[in-house]
Amino acid sequence: ANGNVVEVEEDGGDMGGDNGATSLGFFVQSAYLQSQLAMAYYDVRDYDSAHEHFLALSEREPYRLDHMDAFSNVLYVKDQKVALSHLAHRSVTVDKYRPETCIIVGNYYSSKGRHEKAVQYFQRALKLDRTYLSAWTLLGHEYIEMKNTAAAIEAYRRAVDLSDREYRAWYGLGQTYEIMNMLLHALFYFRKAAALHPHDARMWCAIGGCLLGLDRRTDAEKSYERAVSLGDGEGIATRKLAELYREDGDEEKAAKCYLRHLELRYQSQLPGSLSGASADTSPDAFETVVTHVRVDEPEAEALLYLAYYYRDNLEYDQAILCATRLEEYPGPEKEQGKGLLRDIRSRMDQKAGERKHRSVGIGDVRTRSSSNSPSTPAMGLRGRRDFSMDSKSPANAESSFEFSP
Protein backbone atom coordinates (compact mmCIF):
# COMPACT_ATOMS: atom_id res chain seq x y z
CA ALA A 1 0.00 0.00 0.00
CA ASN A 2 2.85 2.40 0.76
CA GLY A 3 4.34 1.63 -2.62
CA ASN A 4 1.06 2.56 -4.29
CA VAL A 5 1.10 5.90 -2.51
CA VAL A 6 4.59 6.60 -3.81
CA GLU A 7 3.55 5.68 -7.35
CA VAL A 8 0.57 8.04 -7.15
CA GLU A 9 2.79 10.87 -6.02
CA GLU A 10 5.28 10.17 -8.81
CA ASP A 11 2.51 10.01 -11.39
CA GLY A 12 1.18 13.33 -10.07
CA GLY A 13 4.50 14.96 -10.90
CA ASP A 14 4.11 14.03 -14.57
CA MET A 15 0.71 15.76 -14.88
CA GLY A 16 0.65 19.17 -16.46
CA GLY A 17 -0.17 21.92 -13.97
CA ASP A 18 0.05 22.26 -10.23
CA ASN A 19 -3.65 21.60 -9.57
CA GLY A 20 -3.34 17.88 -10.37
CA ALA A 21 -0.35 17.40 -8.07
CA THR A 22 -2.03 19.38 -5.32
CA SER A 23 -5.23 17.36 -5.54
CA LEU A 24 -3.32 14.06 -5.52
CA GLY A 25 -1.34 15.20 -2.49
CA PHE A 26 -4.58 16.13 -0.75
CA PHE A 27 -6.07 12.67 -1.29
CA VAL A 28 -2.86 10.94 -0.21
CA GLN A 29 -2.92 12.91 3.06
CA SER A 30 -6.64 12.40 3.59
CA ALA A 31 -7.49 11.23 7.11
CA TYR A 32 -10.40 9.21 5.76
CA LEU A 33 -8.19 7.29 3.33
CA GLN A 34 -5.59 6.73 6.01
CA SER A 35 -8.23 5.29 8.33
CA GLN A 36 -9.53 3.01 5.57
CA LEU A 37 -5.99 1.87 4.85
CA ALA A 38 -5.49 1.07 8.54
CA MET A 39 -8.76 -0.87 8.59
CA ALA A 40 -7.68 -2.81 5.49
CA TYR A 41 -4.45 -3.86 7.21
CA TYR A 42 -6.47 -4.77 10.30
CA ASP A 43 -8.83 -6.98 8.29
CA VAL A 44 -5.95 -8.93 6.73
CA ARG A 45 -4.34 -9.29 10.20
CA ASP A 46 -1.25 -7.26 9.35
CA TYR A 47 -1.25 -5.73 12.79
CA ASP A 48 2.14 -4.05 12.54
CA SER A 49 1.12 -1.98 9.49
CA ALA A 50 -2.32 -1.31 10.97
CA HIS A 51 -0.72 -0.11 14.20
CA GLU A 52 1.56 2.23 12.28
CA HIS A 53 -1.33 3.87 10.39
CA PHE A 54 -3.64 4.05 13.40
CA LEU A 55 -0.89 5.64 15.46
CA ALA A 56 -0.20 8.26 12.79
CA LEU A 57 -3.93 8.95 12.51
CA SER A 58 -4.39 9.37 16.28
CA GLU A 59 -1.38 11.70 16.50
CA ARG A 60 -2.72 13.76 13.61
CA GLU A 61 -6.25 13.94 15.05
CA PRO A 62 -6.00 13.38 18.83
CA TYR A 63 -9.75 13.93 19.38
CA ARG A 64 -10.79 11.39 16.78
CA LEU A 65 -12.87 8.40 17.94
CA ASP A 66 -13.92 6.90 14.60
CA HIS A 67 -12.22 3.51 14.08
CA MET A 68 -10.32 3.90 17.36
CA ASP A 69 -12.13 0.80 18.65
CA ALA A 70 -10.30 -1.19 15.94
CA PHE A 71 -7.08 0.49 17.08
CA SER A 72 -7.77 -0.79 20.60
CA ASN A 73 -8.20 -4.30 19.17
CA VAL A 74 -4.79 -4.01 17.53
CA LEU A 75 -3.21 -2.88 20.79
CA TYR A 76 -4.95 -5.74 22.60
CA VAL A 77 -3.58 -8.32 20.15
CA LYS A 78 -0.08 -6.84 20.33
CA ASP A 79 -0.33 -6.88 24.15
CA GLN A 80 0.51 -3.17 24.46
CA LYS A 81 -1.33 -2.55 27.71
CA VAL A 82 0.27 0.83 28.44
CA ALA A 83 -0.69 2.24 25.03
CA LEU A 84 -4.19 0.79 25.42
CA SER A 85 -4.50 2.47 28.81
CA HIS A 86 -3.51 5.85 27.34
CA LEU A 87 -6.00 5.40 24.49
CA ALA A 88 -8.81 4.52 26.93
CA HIS A 89 -8.05 7.53 29.14
CA ARG A 90 -7.99 9.89 26.15
CA SER A 91 -11.23 8.46 24.73
CA VAL A 92 -13.06 8.90 28.05
CA THR A 93 -11.81 12.49 28.17
CA VAL A 94 -13.11 13.17 24.64
CA ASP A 95 -16.57 11.57 24.98
CA LYS A 96 -17.37 8.81 27.43
CA TYR A 97 -20.83 8.24 25.95
CA ARG A 98 -19.61 7.12 22.54
CA PRO A 99 -19.88 3.37 21.76
CA GLU A 100 -16.27 3.44 20.55
CA THR A 101 -15.15 4.68 23.95
CA CYS A 102 -16.99 1.84 25.70
CA ILE A 103 -15.34 -0.71 23.40
CA ILE A 104 -11.87 0.75 24.07
CA VAL A 105 -12.40 0.73 27.85
CA GLY A 106 -13.83 -2.81 27.65
CA ASN A 107 -10.73 -4.00 25.77
CA TYR A 108 -8.55 -2.40 28.42
CA TYR A 109 -10.31 -4.27 31.25
CA SER A 110 -10.19 -7.49 29.23
CA SER A 111 -6.40 -7.13 28.79
CA LYS A 112 -6.13 -6.81 32.58
CA GLY A 113 -8.13 -10.03 33.05
CA ARG A 114 -11.16 -8.23 34.53
CA HIS A 115 -13.72 -9.88 32.27
CA GLU A 116 -16.80 -8.95 34.32
CA LYS A 117 -15.91 -5.27 34.03
CA ALA A 118 -15.25 -5.70 30.30
CA VAL A 119 -18.72 -7.25 29.87
CA GLN A 120 -20.27 -4.21 31.56
CA TYR A 121 -18.65 -1.82 29.10
CA PHE A 122 -19.51 -3.92 26.06
CA GLN A 123 -23.13 -4.04 27.26
CA ARG A 124 -23.01 -0.28 27.74
CA ALA A 125 -21.85 0.10 24.12
CA LEU A 126 -24.82 -2.01 23.00
CA LYS A 127 -27.21 0.17 25.01
CA LEU A 128 -25.90 3.14 23.04
CA ASP A 129 -26.08 1.28 19.71
CA ARG A 130 -27.84 -2.09 19.45
CA THR A 131 -26.52 -2.61 15.91
CA TYR A 132 -22.88 -2.30 16.94
CA LEU A 133 -21.53 -5.49 15.32
CA SER A 134 -18.09 -5.71 16.93
CA ALA A 135 -19.63 -5.15 20.39
CA TRP A 136 -21.71 -8.33 20.09
CA THR A 137 -18.66 -10.30 18.91
CA LEU A 138 -16.40 -9.00 21.68
CA LEU A 139 -19.13 -9.69 24.22
CA GLY A 140 -19.20 -13.30 23.04
CA HIS A 141 -15.41 -13.51 23.46
CA GLU A 142 -15.68 -12.30 27.05
CA TYR A 143 -18.39 -14.83 27.85
CA ILE A 144 -16.10 -17.56 26.48
CA GLU A 145 -13.38 -16.37 28.87
CA MET A 146 -15.91 -16.57 31.71
CA LYS A 147 -16.97 -20.13 30.60
CA ASN A 148 -20.53 -18.92 30.02
CA THR A 149 -21.19 -20.81 26.79
CA ALA A 150 -24.94 -20.15 26.65
CA ALA A 151 -24.46 -16.37 26.83
CA ALA A 152 -21.59 -16.58 24.32
CA ILE A 153 -23.76 -18.41 21.79
CA GLU A 154 -26.51 -15.79 22.22
CA ALA A 155 -24.06 -12.93 21.63
CA TYR A 156 -22.50 -14.54 18.58
CA ARG A 157 -25.92 -15.29 17.08
CA ARG A 158 -26.91 -11.65 17.52
CA ALA A 159 -23.77 -10.70 15.60
CA VAL A 160 -24.43 -13.03 12.66
CA ASP A 161 -28.06 -11.90 12.58
CA LEU A 162 -26.81 -8.36 12.03
CA SER A 163 -24.31 -9.45 9.38
CA ASP A 164 -23.88 -12.97 8.06
CA ARG A 165 -20.41 -11.98 6.82
CA GLU A 166 -19.00 -11.48 10.32
CA TYR A 167 -16.53 -14.38 10.20
CA ARG A 168 -15.27 -13.69 13.73
CA ALA A 169 -18.73 -14.46 15.12
CA TRP A 170 -18.99 -17.68 13.07
CA TYR A 171 -15.53 -18.66 14.33
CA GLY A 172 -16.61 -17.86 17.90
CA LEU A 173 -19.64 -20.09 17.54
CA GLY A 174 -17.38 -22.89 16.35
CA GLN A 175 -15.09 -22.43 19.34
CA THR A 176 -18.05 -22.46 21.73
CA TYR A 177 -19.45 -25.72 20.37
CA GLU A 178 -15.95 -27.22 20.34
CA ILE A 179 -15.67 -26.42 24.06
CA MET A 180 -19.00 -28.18 24.54
CA ASN A 181 -17.55 -31.17 22.59
CA MET A 182 -20.22 -30.86 19.90
CA LEU A 183 -17.75 -31.35 17.06
CA LEU A 184 -20.21 -31.64 14.17
CA HIS A 185 -21.78 -28.30 15.09
CA ALA A 186 -18.33 -26.77 15.56
CA LEU A 187 -17.20 -28.07 12.16
CA PHE A 188 -20.24 -26.48 10.50
CA TYR A 189 -19.50 -23.05 11.97
CA PHE A 190 -15.75 -23.27 11.33
CA ARG A 191 -16.48 -24.03 7.68
CA LYS A 192 -18.75 -20.99 7.56
CA ALA A 193 -15.90 -18.84 8.86
CA ALA A 194 -13.40 -20.42 6.43
CA ALA A 195 -15.71 -19.73 3.49
CA LEU A 196 -15.78 -16.03 4.42
CA HIS A 197 -12.07 -15.82 5.28
CA PRO A 198 -10.34 -18.61 3.30
CA HIS A 199 -6.83 -17.16 3.59
CA ASP A 200 -6.74 -17.32 7.39
CA ALA A 201 -4.71 -20.29 8.63
CA ARG A 202 -6.55 -20.30 11.97
CA MET A 203 -9.78 -21.35 10.27
CA TRP A 204 -8.18 -24.40 8.69
CA CYS A 205 -6.42 -25.32 11.93
CA ALA A 206 -9.79 -25.29 13.68
CA ILE A 207 -11.35 -27.42 10.92
CA GLY A 208 -8.45 -29.86 11.16
CA GLY A 209 -8.89 -30.18 14.91
CA CYS A 210 -12.59 -31.01 14.54
CA LEU A 211 -11.91 -33.55 11.78
CA LEU A 212 -9.23 -35.18 13.89
CA GLY A 213 -11.67 -35.43 16.79
CA LEU A 214 -14.16 -37.09 14.42
CA ASP A 215 -11.49 -39.69 13.38
CA ARG A 216 -11.29 -38.29 9.85
CA ARG A 217 -7.51 -38.37 9.82
CA THR A 218 -6.91 -37.93 6.08
CA ASP A 219 -9.17 -34.88 5.86
CA ALA A 220 -7.53 -33.45 8.97
CA GLU A 221 -4.08 -33.76 7.37
CA LYS A 222 -5.32 -31.93 4.28
CA SER A 223 -6.71 -29.10 6.43
CA TYR A 224 -3.47 -28.75 8.35
CA GLU A 225 -1.45 -28.80 5.12
CA ARG A 226 -3.59 -25.99 3.77
CA ALA A 227 -3.05 -24.02 6.98
CA VAL A 228 0.72 -24.44 6.58
CA SER A 229 0.55 -23.26 2.97
CA LEU A 230 -1.30 -20.12 4.13
CA GLY A 231 1.39 -19.24 6.66
CA ASP A 232 0.72 -20.84 10.02
CA GLY A 233 2.21 -18.05 12.12
CA GLU A 234 1.21 -19.64 15.43
CA GLY A 235 2.77 -22.99 14.47
CA ILE A 236 -0.35 -25.01 15.35
CA ALA A 237 -0.72 -26.80 12.02
CA THR A 238 2.98 -27.65 11.67
CA ARG A 239 3.04 -29.21 15.12
CA LYS A 240 -0.14 -31.23 14.51
CA LEU A 241 1.12 -32.43 11.14
CA ALA A 242 4.42 -33.47 12.70
CA GLU A 243 2.55 -35.53 15.30
CA LEU A 244 0.44 -37.20 12.61
CA TYR A 245 3.45 -38.01 10.42
CA ARG A 246 5.27 -39.29 13.49
CA GLU A 247 2.41 -41.67 14.28
CA ASP A 248 2.45 -42.85 10.65
CA GLY A 249 6.19 -43.58 10.89
CA ASP A 250 7.16 -40.99 8.28
CA GLU A 251 10.21 -39.61 10.10
CA GLU A 252 11.43 -37.39 7.27
CA LYS A 253 8.13 -35.50 6.91
CA ALA A 254 7.81 -35.23 10.67
CA ALA A 255 11.29 -33.72 10.91
CA LYS A 256 10.49 -31.21 8.16
CA CYS A 257 7.30 -30.15 9.98
CA TYR A 258 9.09 -29.76 13.31
CA LEU A 259 11.80 -27.69 11.64
CA ARG A 260 9.17 -25.55 9.92
CA HIS A 261 7.47 -25.08 13.28
CA LEU A 262 10.71 -23.74 14.78
CA GLU A 263 11.17 -21.40 11.79
CA LEU A 264 7.65 -20.00 12.15
CA ARG A 265 8.05 -19.46 15.87
CA TYR A 266 11.37 -17.70 15.27
CA GLN A 267 9.83 -15.49 12.56
CA SER A 268 6.98 -14.55 14.89
CA GLN A 269 9.55 -13.20 17.35
CA LEU A 270 10.98 -10.81 14.77
CA PRO A 271 9.39 -7.34 14.49
CA GLY A 272 7.48 -6.82 11.26
CA SER A 273 7.93 -10.44 10.17
CA LEU A 274 5.64 -12.16 7.69
CA SER A 275 4.17 -15.41 8.88
CA GLY A 276 4.04 -16.84 5.38
CA ALA A 277 7.72 -16.34 4.58
CA SER A 278 9.32 -19.25 2.76
CA ALA A 279 11.59 -21.60 4.64
CA ASP A 280 15.37 -21.15 4.39
CA THR A 281 17.12 -24.52 4.46
CA SER A 282 20.73 -23.25 4.49
CA PRO A 283 22.98 -24.42 7.37
CA ASP A 284 23.45 -20.85 8.61
CA ALA A 285 19.68 -20.30 8.73
CA PHE A 286 19.23 -23.58 10.61
CA GLU A 287 21.79 -22.56 13.21
CA THR A 288 20.22 -19.11 13.58
CA VAL A 289 16.72 -20.51 14.09
CA VAL A 290 17.73 -23.22 16.57
CA THR A 291 20.01 -20.90 18.53
CA HIS A 292 17.63 -17.94 18.88
CA VAL A 293 14.12 -19.42 18.93
CA ARG A 294 12.29 -19.07 22.24
CA VAL A 295 11.89 -22.54 23.74
CA ASP A 296 8.49 -23.41 25.17
CA GLU A 297 6.87 -26.83 25.48
CA PRO A 298 6.07 -27.29 21.74
CA GLU A 299 9.54 -26.09 20.74
CA ALA A 300 11.18 -28.44 23.27
CA GLU A 301 9.27 -31.36 21.76
CA ALA A 302 10.41 -30.32 18.27
CA LEU A 303 14.05 -29.91 19.32
CA LEU A 304 14.11 -33.30 21.02
CA TYR A 305 12.67 -35.07 17.99
CA LEU A 306 15.07 -33.30 15.64
CA ALA A 307 18.02 -34.19 17.88
CA TYR A 308 17.14 -37.91 17.71
CA TYR A 309 16.43 -37.65 13.98
CA TYR A 310 19.78 -36.06 13.15
CA ARG A 311 21.62 -38.49 15.42
CA ASP A 312 20.08 -41.50 13.68
CA ASN A 313 21.01 -39.98 10.31
CA LEU A 314 24.64 -39.44 11.49
CA GLU A 315 24.35 -35.62 11.31
CA TYR A 316 25.95 -35.12 14.67
CA ASP A 317 26.57 -31.36 14.46
CA GLN A 318 22.88 -30.58 13.98
CA ALA A 319 21.93 -33.11 16.66
CA ILE A 320 24.31 -31.50 19.19
CA LEU A 321 22.93 -28.05 18.37
CA CYS A 322 19.33 -29.17 19.02
CA ALA A 323 20.19 -31.10 22.18
CA THR A 324 22.23 -28.20 23.57
CA ARG A 325 19.21 -25.87 23.42
CA LEU A 326 17.27 -28.34 25.58
CA GLU A 327 19.72 -27.75 28.44
CA GLU A 328 18.09 -24.32 28.90
CA TYR A 329 14.55 -25.74 29.15
CA PRO A 330 13.32 -26.61 32.68
CA GLY A 331 11.44 -29.78 31.83
CA PRO A 332 11.89 -33.53 31.32
CA GLU A 333 13.34 -32.82 27.88
CA LYS A 334 16.37 -31.28 29.60
CA GLU A 335 17.56 -34.61 31.04
CA GLN A 336 16.78 -36.41 27.79
CA GLY A 337 18.86 -33.83 25.95
CA LYS A 338 21.78 -34.35 28.31
CA GLY A 339 21.63 -38.11 27.86
CA LEU A 340 21.44 -37.65 24.11
CA LEU A 341 24.50 -35.40 24.14
CA ARG A 342 26.50 -38.05 26.02
CA ASP A 343 25.41 -40.69 23.53
CA ILE A 344 26.32 -38.52 20.54
CA ARG A 345 29.75 -37.68 21.94
CA SER A 346 30.48 -41.34 22.67
CA ARG A 347 29.49 -42.22 19.11
CA MET A 348 31.69 -39.47 17.74
CA ASP A 349 34.64 -40.68 19.88
CA GLN A 350 34.07 -44.25 18.77
CA LYS A 351 33.92 -43.17 15.15
CA ALA A 352 37.11 -41.11 15.54
CA GLY A 353 38.86 -44.13 17.15
CA GLU A 354 37.84 -46.38 14.27
CA ARG A 355 39.21 -43.89 11.77
CA LYS A 356 42.48 -43.61 13.68
CA HIS A 357 42.81 -47.41 13.93
CA ARG A 358 42.04 -47.77 10.24
CA SER A 359 44.61 -45.15 9.27
CA VAL A 360 47.28 -46.79 11.49
CA GLY A 361 46.57 -50.21 9.97
CA ILE A 362 46.87 -48.85 6.44
CA GLY A 363 50.18 -47.19 7.40
CA ASP A 364 51.62 -50.48 8.76
CA VAL A 365 50.66 -52.36 5.61
CA ARG A 366 52.31 -49.72 3.46
CA THR A 367 55.46 -49.84 5.64
CA ARG A 368 55.72 -53.63 5.43
CA SER A 369 55.12 -53.71 1.71
CA SER A 370 57.74 -51.02 1.10
CA SER A 371 60.37 -52.87 3.21
CA ASN A 372 59.75 -56.23 1.46
CA SER A 373 59.46 -54.99 -2.11
CA PRO A 374 63.21 -54.94 -3.06
CA SER A 375 64.14 -58.41 -1.65
CA THR A 376 61.15 -60.53 -2.49
CA PRO A 377 61.44 -60.39 -6.29
CA ALA A 378 65.23 -61.03 -6.11
CA MET A 379 64.74 -64.11 -3.97
CA GLY A 380 62.15 -65.37 -6.37
CA LEU A 381 64.40 -64.86 -9.36
CA ARG A 382 67.32 -66.38 -7.57
CA GLY A 383 65.30 -69.45 -6.63
CA ARG A 384 64.08 -69.95 -10.16
CA ARG A 385 67.57 -69.40 -11.51
CA ASP A 386 69.08 -71.94 -9.05
CA PHE A 387 66.38 -74.44 -9.82
CA SER A 388 66.93 -74.16 -13.54
CA MET A 389 70.69 -74.57 -13.14
CA ASP A 390 70.50 -77.46 -10.68
CA SER A 391 67.87 -79.29 -12.66
CA LYS A 392 70.56 -80.26 -15.15
CA SER A 393 72.40 -82.46 -12.57
CA PRO A 394 71.09 -86.01 -12.00
CA ALA A 395 71.29 -85.79 -8.20
CA ASN A 396 69.12 -82.89 -8.06
CA ALA A 397 66.75 -84.53 -10.47
CA GLU A 398 66.43 -87.58 -8.25
CA SER A 399 66.02 -85.45 -5.17
CA SER A 400 63.34 -83.57 -6.94
CA PHE A 401 61.66 -86.81 -7.93
CA GLU A 402 61.79 -88.23 -4.42
CA PHE A 403 60.07 -85.24 -2.83
CA SER A 404 57.52 -84.79 -5.57
CA PRO A 405 54.06 -86.01 -4.62
Side-chain angles (χ1 to χ4, degrees):
N2 293 332
N4 294 334
V5 171
V6 173
E7 290 176 4
V8 169
E9 290 178 346
E10 291 177 352
D11 292 341
D14 296 334
M15 295 177 63
D18 296 333
N19 293 333
T22 304
S23 61
L24 285 174
F26 170 76
F27 283 112
V28 169
Q29 298 299 325
S30 170
Y32 172 77
L33 291 181
Q34 192 170 15
S35 65
Q36 294 302 309
L37 188 60
M39 289 298 297
Y41 281 124
Y42 170 71
D43 287 336
V44 298
R45 301 181 68 238
D46 186 355
Y47 296 126
D48 292 328
S49 299
H51 176 267
E52 179 183 349
H53 286 279
F54 276 129
L55 187 61
L57 188 62
S58 63
E59 290 176 352
R60 180 181 173 185
E61 297 183 356
Y63 297 103
R64 181 188 182 94
L65 290 178
D66 292 340
H67 302 113
M68 288 297 105
D69 54 336
F71 186 27
S72 69
N73 292 336
V74 172
L75 295 176
Y76 182 92
V77 171
K78 293 174 68 66
D79 199 24
Q80 296 188 8
K81 296 180 181 179
V82 176
L84 184 55
S85 173
H86 289 315
L87 179 62
H89 179 73
R90 191 183 68 191
S91 301
V92 171
T93 304
V94 173
D95 188 353
K96 65 179 181 180
Y97 295 109
R98 282 281 295 270
E100 292 86 351
T101 300
C102 296
I103 293 296
I104 294 169
V105 177
N107 278 331
Y108 167 73
Y109 281 118
S110 179
S111 69
K112 302 289 285 186
R114 300 174 62 180
H115 301 294
E116 294 83 358
K117 198 74 173 177
V119 166
Q120 290 180 9
Y121 275 91
F122 292 144
Q123 289 176 342
R124 186 175 298 179
L126 290 171
K127 288 179 181 178
L128 296 170
D129 185 0
R130 298 294 293 178
T131 62
Y132 204 156
L133 186 60
S134 62
W136 285 112
T137 304
L138 292 172
L139 184 62
H141 294 343
E142 293 305 310
Y143 282 134
I144 287 291
E145 295 292 336
M146 297 168 62
K147 309 300 181 185
N148 190 347
T149 54
I153 290 174
E154 177 64 24
Y156 288 135
R157 289 197 182 277
R158 290 291 189 94
V160 297
D161 287 342
L162 290 172
S163 174
D164 59 355
R165 299 192 61 81
E166 174 61 18
Y167 75 93
R168 295 180 181 89
W170 290 116
Y171 183 76
L173 280 170
Q175 283 185 315
T176 307
Y177 281 106
E178 188 178 23
I179 292 172
M180 298 167 64
N181 203 27
M182 300 174 66
L183 297 181
L184 285 174
H185 290 74
L187 181 61
F188 172 79
Y189 291 117
F190 282 141
R191 282 178 169 168
K192 281 273 192 179
L196 293 170
H197 220 246
H199 302 295
D200 194 338
R202 297 175 304 165
M203 308 300 159
W204 297 103
C205 288
I207 291 174
C210 287
L211 291 171
L212 198 59
L214 294 170
D215 293 330
R216 295 169 59 179
R217 188 187 184 91
T218 304
D219 294 334
E221 287 184 1
K222 291 179 180 179
S223 297
Y224 286 130
E225 287 171 355
R226 181 157 184 178
V228 172
S229 67
L230 293 173
D232 179 32
E234 298 175 357
I236 298 174
T238 49
R239 185 186 175 193
K240 288 292 186 181
L241 269 180
E243 292 176 357
L244 292 175
Y245 289 141
R246 190 173 175 178
E247 293 174 1
D248 293 339
D250 196 339
E251 297 181 356
E252 185 176 356
K253 284 187 176 181
K256 288 181 179 179
C257 286
Y258 275 128
L259 182 57
R260 181 59 177 160
H261 173 79
L262 294 178
E263 290 173 352
L264 290 170
R265 298 310 300 155
Y266 172 68
Q267 289 172 7
S268 66
Q269 298 172 201
L270 302 177
S273 61
L274 296 176
S275 59
S278 59
D280 190 352
T281 58
S282 62
D284 293 339
F286 173 82
E287 183 176 357
T288 301
V289 169
V290 174
T291 304
H292 296 96
V293 69
R294 184 174 55 249
V295 180
D296 294 323
E297 183 179 354
E299 288 71 42
E301 177 186 344
L303 287 169
L304 184 62
Y305 184 85
L306 287 172
Y308 278 110
Y309 173 78
Y310 287 125
R311 184 205 64 178
D312 295 339
N313 286 273
L314 306 182
E315 299 181 30
Y316 294 133
D317 292 337
Q318 289 90 331
I320 289 175
L321 188 62
C322 294
T324 302
R325 283 306 313 276
L326 292 173
E327 293 182 339
E328 307 170 8
Y329 180 71
E333 291 83 0
K334 180 178 181 178
E335 297 302 323
Q336 296 182 46
K338 288 182 178 179
L340 188 59
L341 279 173
R342 289 192 294 269
D343 179 60
I344 293 171
R345 291 193 176 106
S346 66
R347 291 190 182 200
M348 293 178 69
D349 293 341
Q350 182 180 0
K351 191 174 181 180
E354 291 176 355
R355 288 179 180 175
K356 184 177 180 181
H357 179 73
R358 193 181 301 114
S359 62
V360 170
I362 293 174
D364 292 342
V365 170
R366 289 178 177 175
T367 303
R368 286 195 298 269
S369 62
S370 61
S371 60
N372 294 334
S373 58
S375 57
T376 302
M379 290 177 62
L381 290 173
R382 191 180 302 117
R384 283 194 294 272
R385 200 164 42 245
D386 293 344
F387 178 78
S388 62
M389 290 174 63
D390 295 340
S391 63
K392 295 178 181 180
S393 60
N396 289 334
E398 291 176 1
S399 174
S400 174
F401 179 78
E402 288 177 357
F403 287 98
S404 61

